[in-house]
Amino acid sequence: MAMATNTPALKGTHFGGITTMIEAAKTRFARYRLYRQTVSELSALSNRELTDLGLSRAMIRGLARQAADDFTAR
């Protein structure tokens, strides 16, 4: 009696998926670091310096998020 087995060859699909996940994690981490750095630098400015730039403290997180989004859009 003949028996057929179906064992798919490993064609890098698992490794490709892992590589994709690692690259996505690197991108997310870089985006987070840019967000935190932007928030930190803008928060360190005085109210007068922010006003001179046309910014308010309430805008800092939104601007940092936008900078991080622009980074990932590249």
Side-chain angles (χ1 to χ4, degrees):
M1 174 194 302
M3 181 183 285
T5 59
N6 186 7
T7 54
L10 185 61
K11 297 182 180 180
T13 55
H14 295 293
F15 294 115
I18 292 171
T19 303
T20 302
M21 287 174 47
I22 290 171
E23 290 302 317
K26 285 181 183 179
T27 302
R28 282 193 310 273
F29 184 66
R31 183 178 176 210
Y32 173 75
R33 284 183 37 205
L34 179 62
Y35 171 81
R36 290 301 315 149
Q37 180 181 1
T38 305
V39 168
S40 178
E41 289 179 9
L42 290 175
S43 294
L45 296 176
S46 68
N47 288 337
R48 173 65 187 221
E49 291 169 323
L50 287 171
T51 301
D52 287 346
L53 294 171
L55 304 175
S56 68
R57 293 222 175 264
M59 298 170 69
I60 291 175
R61 287 191 175 133
L63 290 170
R65 195 172 305 112
Q66 183 179 356
D69 289 344
D70 290 347
F71 169 77
T72 54
R74 291 183 200 167

Coordinates of all heavy atoms in Angstrom, one line a residue:
M1 N 0.8 -1.1 0.0 CA 0.0 0.0 0.0 C 0.9 1.2 0.0 O 1.8 1.3 0.8 CB -0.9 0.0 1.2 CG -1.6 1.3 1.3 SD -2.5 1.7 2.8 CE -3.6 0.5 3.3
A2 N 0.6 2.2 -0.9 CA 1.3 3.4 -1.0 C 0.7 4.5 -0.1 O -0.5 4.5 0.0 CB 1.4 3.9 -2.4
M3 N 1.5 5.3 0.5 CA 1.0 6.3 1.4 C 1.6 7.7 0.9 O 2.8 7.8 0.8 CB 1.4 6.1 2.8 CG 0.8 7.1 3.8 SD 1.3 6.9 5.5 CE 0.3 5.5 5.9
A4 N 0.8 8.6 0.7 CA 1.2 10.0 0.3 C 1.2 10.9 1.5 O 0.2 10.9 2.3 CB 0.4 10.5 -0.8
T5 N 2.2 11.6 1.6 CA 2.3 12.6 2.7 C 2.5 14.0 2.1 O 3.1 14.1 1.1 CB 3.4 12.4 3.7 OG1 4.7 12.4 3.0 CG2 3.2 11.0 4.4
N6 N 1.8 14.9 2.7 CA 1.9 16.3 2.2 C 2.7 17.1 3.2 O 2.2 17.6 4.2 CB 0.5 16.9 2.0 CG 0.5 18.2 1.3 OD1 1.6 18.7 0.9 ND2 -0.6 18.9 1.2
T7 N 4.0 17.3 2.9 CA 4.8 18.2 3.8 C 5.3 19.3 2.9 O 6.2 19.2 2.1 CB 6.0 17.4 4.3 OG1 6.7 16.8 3.3 CG2 5.6 16.3 5.3
P8 N 4.7 20.5 3.2 CA 5.2 21.6 2.4 C 6.6 22.0 2.6 O 7.1 21.9 3.8 CB 4.2 22.8 2.8 CG 3.7 22.3 4.1 CD 3.8 20.8 4.2
A9 N 7.3 22.4 1.6 CA 8.7 22.8 1.7 C 8.7 24.2 2.4 O 7.9 25.0 2.1 CB 9.4 22.8 0.3
L10 N 9.7 24.4 3.2 CA 9.9 25.7 3.8 C 10.5 26.6 2.8 O 11.7 26.5 2.4 CB 10.8 25.5 5.0 CG 11.0 26.8 5.9 CD1 9.6 27.3 6.4 CD2 11.9 26.5 7.0
K11 N 9.7 27.5 2.3 CA 10.2 28.4 1.2 C 10.5 29.8 1.8 O 10.3 30.8 1.1 CB 9.2 28.5 0.1 CG 9.0 27.1 -0.6 CD 8.0 27.3 -1.7 CE 7.8 26.0 -2.4 NZ 6.9 26.1 -3.5
G12 N 10.8 29.9 3.0 CA 11.1 31.2 3.5 C 9.9 32.0 4.0 O 10.0 33.1 4.4
T13 N 8.7 31.3 4.0 CA 7.5 32.0 4.4 C 7.6 32.4 5.8 O 7.2 33.5 6.2 CB 6.3 31.2 4.1 OG1 6.4 29.9 4.7 CG2 6.1 31.1 2.6
H14 N 8.0 31.4 6.6 CA 8.1 31.7 8.1 C 9.2 32.7 8.3 O 9.0 33.6 9.1 CB 8.4 30.4 8.9 CG 7.3 29.4 8.8 ND1 6.1 29.7 9.3 CD2 7.2 28.2 8.2 CE1 5.3 28.6 9.1 NE2 6.0 27.7 8.4
F15 N 10.3 32.6 7.7 CA 11.4 33.5 7.9 C 11.0 34.9 7.3 O 11.4 35.9 7.9 CB 12.7 33.0 7.3 CG 13.2 31.8 7.9 CD1 13.3 30.6 7.3 CD2 13.6 31.8 9.3 CE1 13.7 29.4 7.9 CE2 14.1 30.7 9.9 CZ 14.2 29.5 9.2
G16 N 10.3 34.9 6.2 CA 9.9 36.2 5.6 C 8.9 36.9 6.5 O 9.0 38.1 6.7
G17 N 8.0 36.1 7.2 CA 7.1 36.7 8.1 C 7.8 37.2 9.3 O 7.4 38.3 9.8
I18 N 8.8 36.5 9.8 CA 9.5 36.9 11.0 C 10.3 38.2 10.6 O 10.3 39.2 11.4 CB 10.4 35.8 11.5 CG1 9.6 34.7 12.1 CG2 11.4 36.4 12.5 CD1 10.4 33.5 12.5
T19 N 10.9 38.2 9.5 CA 11.7 39.4 9.0 C 10.7 40.6 8.9 O 11.1 41.7 9.3 CB 12.3 39.1 7.7 OG1 13.2 38.0 7.8 CG2 13.1 40.3 7.2
T20 N 9.6 40.4 8.4 CA 8.6 41.5 8.2 C 8.2 42.0 9.6 O 8.1 43.2 9.8 CB 7.4 41.0 7.5 OG1 7.8 40.5 6.2 CG2 6.3 42.1 7.3
M21 N 8.0 41.1 10.5 CA 7.6 41.5 11.9 C 8.7 42.3 12.6 O 8.5 43.3 13.3 CB 7.2 40.2 12.7 CG 5.9 39.6 12.4 SD 5.6 38.1 13.2 CE 5.9 38.5 14.9
I22 N 10.0 41.8 12.4 CA 11.1 42.5 13.0 C 11.2 43.9 12.4 O 11.5 44.9 13.1 CB 12.4 41.7 12.8 CG1 12.3 40.4 13.7 CG2 13.6 42.5 13.1 CD1 13.4 39.4 13.4
E23 N 11.1 44.0 11.1 CA 11.2 45.3 10.4 C 10.1 46.3 10.9 O 10.3 47.4 11.1 CB 11.2 45.2 8.9 CG 12.4 44.6 8.3 CD 13.7 45.3 8.7 OE1 13.7 46.6 8.6 OE2 14.7 44.7 9.0
A24 N 8.9 45.7 11.1 CA 7.8 46.5 11.6 C 8.0 47.0 13.0 O 7.7 48.1 13.3 CB 6.5 45.7 11.5
A25 N 8.6 46.1 13.8 CA 8.9 46.5 15.2 C 10.0 47.6 15.2 O 9.9 48.5 16.0 CB 9.3 45.3 16.0
K26 N 11.0 47.4 14.4 CA 12.0 48.5 14.3 C 11.5 49.8 13.9 O 11.8 50.8 14.5 CB 13.1 48.1 13.3 CG 14.0 47.0 13.7 CD 15.1 46.7 12.6 CE 16.0 45.6 13.0 NZ 16.9 45.3 11.9
T27 N 10.6 49.8 12.9 CA 9.9 51.0 12.5 C 9.1 51.6 13.6 O 9.2 52.9 13.8 CB 9.1 50.8 11.2 OG1 9.9 50.2 10.2 CG2 8.4 52.0 10.7
R28 N 8.3 50.8 14.3 CA 7.5 51.3 15.4 C 8.4 51.9 16.5 O 8.0 53.0 17.0 CB 6.6 50.2 16.0 CG 5.4 49.9 15.1 CD 4.4 49.1 15.9 NE 4.9 47.9 16.5 CZ 5.1 46.7 15.8 NH1 4.7 46.6 14.6 NH2 5.6 45.7 16.5
F29 N 9.5 51.2 16.8 CA 10.4 51.7 17.8 C 11.0 53.1 17.4 O 11.1 54.0 18.2 CB 11.4 50.7 18.2 CG 12.3 51.1 19.3 CD1 11.8 51.2 20.6 CD2 13.6 51.4 19.1 CE1 12.6 51.6 21.7 CE2 14.5 51.7 20.2 CZ 13.9 51.9 21.4
A30 N 11.5 53.1 16.2 CA 12.1 54.4 15.7 C 11.0 55.5 15.7 O 11.4 56.7 16.1 CB 12.6 54.2 14.3
R31 N 9.8 55.2 15.3 CA 8.7 56.2 15.4 C 8.5 56.7 16.8 O 8.3 57.8 17.1 CB 7.5 55.6 14.8 CG 6.3 56.5 14.7 CD 5.2 55.8 14.0 NE 4.0 56.7 14.0 CZ 2.8 56.4 14.1 NH1 2.5 55.1 14.1 NH2 1.8 57.3 14.1
Y32 N 8.4 55.7 17.7 CA 8.2 56.1 19.1 C 9.4 56.9 19.7 O 9.1 57.9 20.4 CB 8.1 54.8 20.0 CG 8.0 55.1 21.5 CD1 6.9 55.6 22.0 CD2 9.1 54.8 22.3 CE1 6.8 55.9 23.4 CE2 9.1 55.1 23.6 CZ 7.9 55.6 24.2 OH 7.9 55.9 25.5
R33 N 10.6 56.6 19.3 CA 11.7 57.4 19.8 C 11.7 58.8 19.2 O 12.0 59.7 20.0 CB 13.1 56.7 19.4 CG 13.4 55.5 20.2 CD 14.7 54.9 19.9 NE 15.7 55.9 19.5 CZ 16.8 55.6 18.7 NH1 16.9 54.4 18.2 NH2 17.6 56.5 18.5
L34 N 11.3 58.9 18.0 CA 11.2 60.3 17.4 C 10.1 61.0 18.1 O 10.3 62.2 18.4 CB 10.9 60.2 15.9 CG 10.7 61.5 15.2 CD1 12.0 62.3 15.3 CD2 10.3 61.3 13.7
Y35 N 9.0 60.4 18.4 CA 7.9 61.0 19.1 C 8.4 61.5 20.4 O 8.2 62.7 20.8 CB 6.7 60.1 19.3 CG 5.6 60.6 20.2 CD1 4.7 61.5 19.7 CD2 5.6 60.2 21.5 CE1 3.7 62.0 20.6 CE2 4.6 60.6 22.3 CZ 3.6 61.5 21.9 OH 2.7 62.0 22.7
R36 N 9.0 60.7 21.2 CA 9.5 61.0 22.6 C 10.5 62.1 22.5 O 10.5 63.0 23.3 CB 10.1 59.8 23.3 CG 9.0 58.8 23.7 CD 7.9 59.3 24.6 NE 8.4 60.1 25.7 CZ 7.7 61.1 26.3 NH1 6.5 61.3 25.9 NH2 8.3 61.8 27.3
Q37 N 11.4 62.1 21.5 CA 12.5 63.1 21.4 C 11.8 64.4 21.1 O 12.2 65.5 21.7 CB 13.5 62.7 20.3 CG 14.6 63.7 20.1 CD 15.5 63.3 19.0 OE1 15.4 62.3 18.4 NE2 16.5 64.1 18.8
T38 N 10.9 64.4 20.2 CA 10.2 65.7 19.8 C 9.5 66.3 21.0 O 9.6 67.5 21.3 CB 9.2 65.5 18.6 OG1 10.0 64.9 17.6 CG2 8.6 66.7 18.2
V39 N 8.7 65.4 21.7 CA 8.0 65.9 22.9 C 9.0 66.5 23.9 O 8.8 67.6 24.5 CB 7.1 64.8 23.5 CG1 6.6 65.2 24.9 CG2 6.0 64.4 22.6
S40 N 10.1 65.8 24.2 CA 11.1 66.2 25.1 C 11.7 67.5 24.8 O 11.8 68.4 25.6 CB 12.2 65.1 25.2 OG 13.2 65.5 26.1
E41 N 12.1 67.7 23.5 CA 12.7 68.9 23.1 C 11.8 70.1 23.1 O 12.2 71.2 23.5 CB 13.3 68.7 21.7 CG 14.6 67.8 21.7 CD 15.2 67.6 20.3 OE1 14.7 68.3 19.4 OE2 16.0 66.8 20.2
L42 N 10.6 69.9 22.6 CA 9.6 71.0 22.7 C 9.2 71.4 24.1 O 9.0 72.5 24.4 CB 8.4 70.7 21.8 CG 8.6 70.7 20.3 CD1 7.4 70.2 19.5 CD2 9.1 72.0 19.8
S43 N 9.1 70.4 24.9 CA 8.7 70.6 26.3 C 9.7 71.4 27.1 O 9.5 72.1 28.0 CB 8.4 69.3 27.0 OG 7.3 68.7 26.5
A44 N 11.0 71.2 26.6 CA 12.1 71.9 27.3 C 12.1 73.4 27.0 O 12.7 74.2 27.7 CB 13.4 71.3 26.9
L45 N 11.4 73.8 26.0 CA 11.4 75.3 25.6 C 10.5 76.0 26.6 O 9.5 75.5 27.1 CB 10.8 75.4 24.2 CG 11.6 74.8 23.0 CD1 10.9 75.0 21.7 CD2 13.0 75.5 23.0
S46 N 10.8 77.3 26.8 CA 10.0 78.1 27.6 C 8.7 78.5 26.9 O 8.6 78.4 25.7 CB 10.7 79.4 28.0 OG 10.9 80.2 26.9
N47 N 7.7 79.0 27.6 CA 6.5 79.5 27.0 C 6.8 80.6 26.0 O 6.2 80.7 24.9 CB 5.5 80.0 28.0 CG 4.9 78.8 28.8 OD1 4.9 77.7 28.4 ND2 4.4 79.1 30.0
R48 N 7.7 81.4 26.3 CA 8.1 82.5 25.4 C 8.7 82.0 24.1 O 8.3 82.4 23.0 CB 9.1 83.5 26.1 CG 9.7 84.5 25.3 CD 8.6 85.5 24.8 NE 9.2 86.4 23.8 CZ 8.9 87.7 23.8 NH1 8.1 88.2 24.7 NH2 9.5 88.5 22.9
E49 N 9.6 81.0 24.2 CA 10.2 80.4 23.0 C 9.1 79.7 22.2 O 9.1 79.8 20.9 CB 11.3 79.4 23.4 CG 12.5 80.1 24.0 CD 13.5 79.1 24.7 OE1 13.0 78.1 25.3 OE2 14.7 79.4 24.6
L50 N 8.2 79.0 22.8 CA 7.1 78.4 22.1 C 6.3 79.4 21.3 O 5.9 79.2 20.2 CB 6.2 77.5 23.0 CG 6.9 76.2 23.5 CD1 6.0 75.6 24.6 CD2 7.1 75.2 22.3
T51 N 5.9 80.5 22.0 CA 5.1 81.6 21.4 C 5.9 82.2 20.2 O 5.2 82.4 19.2 CB 4.8 82.7 22.5 OG1 4.1 82.1 23.6 CG2 4.0 83.8 21.9
D52 N 7.2 82.4 20.4 CA 8.0 82.9 19.2 C 7.9 82.0 18.0 O 8.0 82.4 16.9 CB 9.4 83.1 19.6 CG 9.6 84.3 20.6 OD1 8.7 85.1 20.7 OD2 10.7 84.3 21.2
L53 N 7.7 80.7 18.3 CA 7.6 79.7 17.2 C 6.2 79.6 16.7 O 5.9 78.8 15.8 CB 8.1 78.3 17.6 CG 9.6 78.2 17.9 CD1 10.0 76.9 18.5 CD2 10.4 78.5 16.6
G54 N 5.3 80.2 17.4 CA 3.8 80.1 17.0 C 3.2 78.9 17.5 O 2.2 78.4 17.0
L55 N 3.7 78.4 18.6 CA 3.2 77.1 19.2 C 2.7 77.4 20.6 O 3.1 78.4 21.3 CB 4.3 76.1 19.3 CG 5.0 75.7 18.0 CD1 6.2 74.8 18.2 CD2 4.1 75.1 17.0
S56 N 1.9 76.4 21.1 CA 1.5 76.4 22.5 C 1.8 75.1 23.1 O 2.0 74.1 22.3 CB 0.0 76.7 22.7 OG -0.7 75.7 22.1
R57 N 1.8 75.0 24.4 CA 2.1 73.7 25.0 C 1.1 72.6 24.6 O 1.4 71.4 24.5 CB 2.1 73.8 26.5 CG 3.3 74.6 27.0 CD 4.0 74.1 28.2 NE 5.1 74.9 28.5 CZ 6.4 74.6 28.1 NH1 6.6 73.5 27.5 NH2 7.4 75.4 28.4
A58 N -0.1 73.0 24.4 CA -1.2 72.1 24.0 C -0.9 71.4 22.7 O -1.5 70.4 22.3 CB -2.5 72.8 24.0
M59 N -0.1 72.0 21.9 CA 0.2 71.5 20.5 C 1.3 70.5 20.5 O 1.5 69.9 19.4 CB 0.5 72.7 19.6 CG -0.6 73.7 19.4 SD 0.0 75.2 18.6 CE 0.2 74.6 16.9
I60 N 2.1 70.4 21.5 CA 3.3 69.6 21.5 C 3.1 68.2 21.1 O 3.7 67.6 20.2 CB 4.1 69.7 22.8 CG1 4.6 71.1 23.0 CG2 5.2 68.7 22.9 CD1 5.3 71.4 24.3
R61 N 2.2 67.5 21.8 CA 2.0 66.1 21.5 C 1.5 65.8 20.0 O 1.9 64.9 19.4 CB 1.0 65.4 22.5 CG 1.6 65.3 23.8 CD 0.8 64.4 24.7 NE 1.5 64.2 26.0 CZ 0.9 64.3 27.1 NH1 -0.3 64.7 27.2 NH2 1.6 64.0 28.2
G62 N 0.6 66.7 19.6 CA 0.1 66.6 18.2 C 1.2 66.8 17.2 O 1.3 66.1 16.2
L63 N 2.1 67.8 17.4 CA 3.2 68.0 16.5 C 4.2 66.8 16.5 O 4.7 66.4 15.5 CB 3.9 69.3 16.9 CG 3.1 70.6 16.6 CD1 3.9 71.8 17.2 CD2 3.0 70.8 15.1
A64 N 4.4 66.3 17.7 CA 5.3 65.1 17.8 C 4.7 63.9 17.1 O 5.4 63.2 16.4 CB 5.5 64.8 19.3
R65 N 3.4 63.7 17.2 CA 2.7 62.6 16.5 C 2.8 62.8 15.0 O 3.1 61.9 14.2 CB 1.3 62.5 16.9 CG 0.6 61.3 16.6 CD -0.8 61.1 17.2 NE -0.8 61.3 18.6 CZ -1.3 62.3 19.3 NH1 -1.9 63.2 18.7 NH2 -1.2 62.4 20.6
Q66 N 2.7 64.1 14.6 CA 2.7 64.4 13.1 C 4.2 64.1 12.6 O 4.4 63.6 11.5 CB 2.3 65.8 12.9 CG 2.4 66.2 11.4 CD 1.9 67.6 11.2 OE1 1.6 68.3 12.2 NE2 2.0 68.1 10.0
A67 N 5.2 64.5 13.4 CA 6.6 64.2 13.0 C 6.8 62.7 12.9 O 7.5 62.3 12.0 CB 7.5 64.9 14.0
A68 N 6.3 62.0 13.8 CA 6.5 60.5 13.8 C 5.7 59.9 12.6 O 6.3 59.0 11.9 CB 6.0 59.9 15.1
D69 N 4.5 60.4 12.3 CA 3.8 59.9 11.1 C 4.5 60.3 9.8 O 4.6 59.4 8.9 CB 2.4 60.5 11.1 CG 1.5 60.0 12.2 OD1 1.8 58.9 12.7 OD2 0.5 60.6 12.4
D70 N 5.1 61.4 9.8 CA 5.9 61.8 8.6 C 7.1 61.0 8.4 O 7.5 60.6 7.3 CB 6.3 63.3 8.6 CG 5.1 64.3 8.5 OD1 4.0 63.8 8.1 OD2 5.2 65.5 8.8
F71 N 7.7 60.6 9.5 CA 8.9 59.7 9.5 C 8.5 58.3 8.8 O 9.2 57.8 8.0 CB 9.4 59.5 10.9 CG 10.5 58.4 11.0 CD1 11.8 58.7 10.5 CD2 10.2 57.2 11.5 CE1 12.7 57.7 10.6 CE2 11.1 56.2 11.5 CZ 12.4 56.4 11.1
T72 N 7.4 57.8 9.2 CA 7.0 56.5 8.7 C 6.5 56.5 7.3 O 6.4 55.5 6.6 CB 6.0 55.8 9.6 OG1 4.8 56.6 9.8 CG2 6.6 55.4 11.0
A73 N 6.1 57.7 6.9 CA 5.5 57.9 5.5 C 6.7 57.9 4.5 O 6.4 57.7 3.3 CB 4.7 59.2 5.4
R74 N 7.9 58.0 4.9 CA 9.0 58.1 4.0 C 9.3 56.8 3.4 O 9.3 55.8 3.6 CB 10.3 58.6 4.7 CG 10.2 60.0 5.1 CD 11.5 60.5 5.6 NE 11.2 61.7 6.4 CZ 12.1 62.2 7.3 NH1 13.2 61.6 7.5 NH2 11.8 63.3 7.9

